[in-house]
PDB file of all heavy atoms in Angstrom:
ATOM      1  N   PRO C 484      10.407 -20.082  41.519  1.00  0.00           N
ATOM      2  CA  PRO C 484       9.761 -19.535  40.325  1.00  0.00           C
ATOM      3  C   PRO C 484      10.778 -19.476  39.177  1.00  0.00           C
ATOM      4  O   PRO C 484      11.933 -19.861  39.354  1.00  0.00           O
ATOM      5  CB  PRO C 484       9.382 -18.130  40.756  1.00  0.00           C
ATOM      6  CG  PRO C 484      10.363 -17.771  41.797  1.00  0.00           C
ATOM      7  CD  PRO C 484      10.858 -19.041  42.437  1.00  0.00           C
ATOM      8  N   VAL C 485      10.348 -19.004  38.010  1.00  0.00           N
ATOM      9  CA  VAL C 485      11.307 -18.737  36.935  1.00  0.00           C
ATOM     10  C   VAL C 485      11.822 -17.314  37.145  1.00  0.00           C
ATOM     11  O   VAL C 485      11.059 -16.360  37.111  1.00  0.00           O
ATOM     12  CB  VAL C 485      10.642 -18.858  35.545  1.00  0.00           C
ATOM     13  CG1 VAL C 485      11.613 -18.407  34.455  1.00  0.00           C
ATOM     14  CG2 VAL C 485      10.206 -20.285  35.303  1.00  0.00           C
ATOM     15  N   TRP C 486      13.098 -17.197  37.397  1.00  0.00           N
ATOM     16  CA  TRP C 486      13.676 -15.872  37.611  1.00  0.00           C
ATOM     17  C   TRP C 486      13.887 -15.208  36.257  1.00  0.00           C
ATOM     18  O   TRP C 486      14.001 -15.898  35.249  1.00  0.00           O
ATOM     19  CB  TRP C 486      15.004 -15.993  38.367  1.00  0.00           C
ATOM     20  CG  TRP C 486      14.892 -16.837  39.591  1.00  0.00           C
ATOM     21  CD1 TRP C 486      15.267 -18.139  39.707  1.00  0.00           C
ATOM     22  CD2 TRP C 486      14.333 -16.466  40.847  1.00  0.00           C
ATOM     23  NE1 TRP C 486      14.988 -18.608  40.973  1.00  0.00           N
ATOM     24  CE2 TRP C 486      14.406 -17.593  41.695  1.00  0.00           C
ATOM     25  CE3 TRP C 486      13.778 -15.293  41.370  1.00  0.00           C
ATOM     26  CZ2 TRP C 486      13.952 -17.598  43.004  1.00  0.00           C
ATOM     27  CZ3 TRP C 486      13.330 -15.297  42.674  1.00  0.00           C
ATOM     28  CH2 TRP C 486      13.420 -16.428  43.478  1.00  0.00           C
ATOM     29  N   GLN C 487      13.958 -13.881  36.256  1.00  0.00           N
ATOM     30  CA  GLN C 487      14.098 -13.162  34.995  1.00  0.00           C
ATOM     31  C   GLN C 487      15.308 -12.244  35.040  1.00  0.00           C
ATOM     32  O   GLN C 487      15.690 -11.762  36.106  1.00  0.00           O
ATOM     33  CB  GLN C 487      12.860 -12.278  34.749  1.00  0.00           C
ATOM     34  CG  GLN C 487      11.553 -13.003  34.814  1.00  0.00           C
ATOM     35  CD  GLN C 487      11.118 -13.552  33.479  1.00  0.00           C
ATOM     36  OE1 GLN C 487      11.712 -13.259  32.447  1.00  0.00           O
ATOM     37  NE2 GLN C 487      10.081 -14.368  33.488  1.00  0.00           N
ATOM     38  N   LYS C 488      15.873 -11.996  33.869  1.00  0.00           N
ATOM     39  CA  LYS C 488      16.987 -11.051  33.791  1.00  0.00           C
ATOM     40  C   LYS C 488      16.948 -10.356  32.440  1.00  0.00           C
ATOM     41  O   LYS C 488      16.693 -11.001  31.421  1.00  0.00           O
ATOM     42  CB  LYS C 488      18.299 -11.800  33.965  1.00  0.00           C
ATOM     43  CG  LYS C 488      19.507 -10.898  34.058  1.00  0.00           C
ATOM     44  CD  LYS C 488      20.736 -11.659  34.461  1.00  0.00           C
ATOM     45  CE  LYS C 488      21.906 -10.691  34.579  1.00  0.00           C
ATOM     46  NZ  LYS C 488      22.988 -11.235  35.372  1.00  0.00           N
ATOM     47  N   GLY C 489      17.201  -9.039  32.415  1.00  0.00           N
ATOM     48  CA  GLY C 489      17.209  -8.291  31.162  1.00  0.00           C
ATOM     49  C   GLY C 489      18.484  -8.570  30.386  1.00  0.00           C
ATOM     50  O   GLY C 489      19.549  -8.713  30.969  1.00  0.00           O
ATOM     51  N   GLN C 490      18.348  -8.645  29.045  1.00  0.00           N
ATOM     52  CA  GLN C 490      19.523  -8.942  28.220  1.00  0.00           C
ATOM     53  C   GLN C 490      20.187  -7.660  27.709  1.00  0.00           C
ATOM     54  O   GLN C 490      21.310  -7.702  27.226  1.00  0.00           O
ATOM     55  CB  GLN C 490      19.108  -9.799  27.009  1.00  0.00           C
ATOM     56  CG  GLN C 490      18.348 -11.054  27.387  1.00  0.00           C
ATOM     57  CD  GLN C 490      19.171 -11.950  28.309  1.00  0.00           C
ATOM     58  OE1 GLN C 490      20.259 -12.367  27.951  1.00  0.00           O
ATOM     59  NE2 GLN C 490      18.656 -12.215  29.502  1.00  0.00           N
ATOM     60  N   GLY C 491      19.491  -6.532  27.845  1.00  0.00           N
ATOM     61  CA  GLY C 491      20.029  -5.270  27.338  1.00  0.00           C
ATOM     62  C   GLY C 491      19.432  -4.945  25.978  1.00  0.00           C
ATOM     63  O   GLY C 491      19.438  -5.782  25.091  1.00  0.00           O
ATOM     64  N   CYS C 492      18.870  -3.741  25.830  1.00  0.00           N
ATOM     65  CA  CYS C 492      18.299  -3.316  24.545  1.00  0.00           C
ATOM     66  C   CYS C 492      18.277  -1.787  24.490  1.00  0.00           C
ATOM     67  O   CYS C 492      18.774  -1.134  25.395  1.00  0.00           O
ATOM     68  CB  CYS C 492      16.881  -3.883  24.396  1.00  0.00           C
ATOM     69  SG  CYS C 492      15.686  -3.173  25.552  1.00  0.00           S
ATOM     70  N   THR C 493      17.694  -1.234  23.421  1.00  0.00           N
ATOM     71  CA  THR C 493      17.646   0.225  23.265  1.00  0.00           C
ATOM     72  C   THR C 493      16.923   0.896  24.438  1.00  0.00           C
ATOM     73  O   THR C 493      17.326   1.943  24.915  1.00  0.00           O
ATOM     74  CB  THR C 493      16.856   0.606  21.985  1.00  0.00           C
ATOM     75  OG1 THR C 493      17.112  -0.378  21.005  1.00  0.00           O
ATOM     76  CG2 THR C 493      17.235   1.976  21.503  1.00  0.00           C
ATOM     77  N   TYR C 494      15.826   0.270  24.874  1.00  0.00           N
ATOM     78  CA  TYR C 494      15.012   0.881  25.930  1.00  0.00           C
ATOM     79  C   TYR C 494      15.763   1.052  27.232  1.00  0.00           C
ATOM     80  O   TYR C 494      15.504   1.956  27.998  1.00  0.00           O
ATOM     81  CB  TYR C 494      13.759   0.037  26.188  1.00  0.00           C
ATOM     82  CG  TYR C 494      12.684   0.292  25.179  1.00  0.00           C
ATOM     83  CD1 TYR C 494      12.606  -0.450  24.022  1.00  0.00           C
ATOM     84  CD2 TYR C 494      11.768   1.307  25.393  1.00  0.00           C
ATOM     85  CE1 TYR C 494      11.625  -0.200  23.086  1.00  0.00           C
ATOM     86  CE2 TYR C 494      10.784   1.567  24.460  1.00  0.00           C
ATOM     87  CZ  TYR C 494      10.716   0.810  23.311  1.00  0.00           C
ATOM     88  OH  TYR C 494       9.758   1.079  22.403  1.00  0.00           O
ATOM     89  N   CYS C 495      16.668   0.114  27.527  1.00  0.00           N
ATOM     90  CA  CYS C 495      17.309   0.154  28.842  1.00  0.00           C
ATOM     91  C   CYS C 495      18.765   0.567  28.717  1.00  0.00           C
ATOM     92  O   CYS C 495      19.539   0.357  29.651  1.00  0.00           O
ATOM     93  CB  CYS C 495      17.166  -1.190  29.533  1.00  0.00           C
ATOM     94  SG  CYS C 495      17.833  -2.559  28.584  1.00  0.00           S
ATOM     95  N   ASN C 496      19.137   1.149  27.559  1.00  0.00           N
ATOM     96  CA  ASN C 496      20.507   1.586  27.396  1.00  0.00           C
ATOM     97  C   ASN C 496      21.478   0.416  27.588  1.00  0.00           C
ATOM     98  O   ASN C 496      22.552   0.551  28.166  1.00  0.00           O
ATOM     99  CB  ASN C 496      20.799   2.690  28.417  1.00  0.00           C
ATOM    100  CG  ASN C 496      21.667   3.777  27.828  1.00  0.00           C
ATOM    101  OD1 ASN C 496      22.339   3.546  26.825  1.00  0.00           O
ATOM    102  ND2 ASN C 496      21.656   4.937  28.449  1.00  0.00           N
ATOM    103  N   ASN C 497      21.051  -0.751  27.161  1.00  0.00           N
ATOM    104  CA  ASN C 497      21.838  -1.985  27.254  1.00  0.00           C
ATOM    105  C   ASN C 497      22.227  -2.420  28.660  1.00  0.00           C
ATOM    106  O   ASN C 497      23.210  -3.121  28.856  1.00  0.00           O
ATOM    107  CB  ASN C 497      23.106  -1.877  26.391  1.00  0.00           C
ATOM    108  CG  ASN C 497      22.746  -1.873  24.933  1.00  0.00           C
ATOM    109  OD1 ASN C 497      21.908  -2.666  24.495  1.00  0.00           O
ATOM    110  ND2 ASN C 497      23.328  -0.956  24.180  1.00  0.00           N
ATOM    111  N   THR C 498      21.454  -1.962  29.644  1.00  0.00           N
ATOM    112  CA  THR C 498      21.780  -2.355  31.013  1.00  0.00           C
ATOM    113  C   THR C 498      20.923  -3.532  31.486  1.00  0.00           C
ATOM    114  O   THR C 498      21.269  -4.205  32.446  1.00  0.00           O
ATOM    115  CB  THR C 498      21.534  -1.193  31.997  1.00  0.00           C
ATOM    116  OG1 THR C 498      20.150  -0.798  31.882  1.00  0.00           O
ATOM    117  CG2 THR C 498      22.422  -0.006  31.701  1.00  0.00           C
ATOM    118  N   GLY C 499      19.789  -3.757  30.826  1.00  0.00           N
ATOM    119  CA  GLY C 499      18.887  -4.808  31.298  1.00  0.00           C
ATOM    120  C   GLY C 499      17.944  -4.314  32.392  1.00  0.00           C
ATOM    121  O   GLY C 499      17.108  -5.062  32.876  1.00  0.00           O
ATOM    122  N   TYR C 500      18.091  -3.037  32.774  1.00  0.00           N
ATOM    123  CA  TYR C 500      17.238  -2.491  33.833  1.00  0.00           C
ATOM    124  C   TYR C 500      16.592  -1.200  33.361  1.00  0.00           C
ATOM    125  O   TYR C 500      17.206  -0.432  32.622  1.00  0.00           O
ATOM    126  CB  TYR C 500      18.063  -2.169  35.084  1.00  0.00           C
ATOM    127  CG  TYR C 500      18.641  -3.378  35.764  1.00  0.00           C
ATOM    128  CD1 TYR C 500      19.969  -3.735  35.573  1.00  0.00           C
ATOM    129  CD2 TYR C 500      17.851  -4.157  36.607  1.00  0.00           C
ATOM    130  CE1 TYR C 500      20.502  -4.849  36.200  1.00  0.00           C
ATOM    131  CE2 TYR C 500      18.379  -5.267  37.241  1.00  0.00           C
ATOM    132  CZ  TYR C 500      19.703  -5.611  37.039  1.00  0.00           C
ATOM    133  OH  TYR C 500      20.222  -6.699  37.663  1.00  0.00           O
ATOM    134  N   LYS C 501      15.380  -0.964  33.824  1.00  0.00           N
ATOM    135  CA  LYS C 501      14.722   0.300  33.502  1.00  0.00           C
ATOM    136  C   LYS C 501      13.846   0.696  34.674  1.00  0.00           C
ATOM    137  O   LYS C 501      12.916  -0.016  35.044  1.00  0.00           O
ATOM    138  CB  LYS C 501      13.875   0.118  32.230  1.00  0.00           C
ATOM    139  CG  LYS C 501      13.184   1.369  31.779  1.00  0.00           C
ATOM    140  CD  LYS C 501      13.905   2.017  30.607  1.00  0.00           C
ATOM    141  CE  LYS C 501      13.166   3.245  30.135  1.00  0.00           C
ATOM    142  NZ  LYS C 501      13.870   4.470  30.386  1.00  0.00           N
ATOM    143  N   GLY C 502      14.170   1.828  35.275  1.00  0.00           N
ATOM    144  CA  GLY C 502      13.391   2.309  36.411  1.00  0.00           C
ATOM    145  C   GLY C 502      13.767   1.606  37.708  1.00  0.00           C
ATOM    146  O   GLY C 502      14.512   0.631  37.706  1.00  0.00           O
TER     147      GLY C 502
END
Side-chain angles (χ1 to χ4, degrees):
V485 173
W486 310 100
Q487 306 270 351
K488 187 170 182 161
Q490 306 301 302
C492 68
T493 325
Y494 280 90
C495 57
N496 219 340
N497 291 316
T498 58
Y500 294 100
K501 182 102 178 112

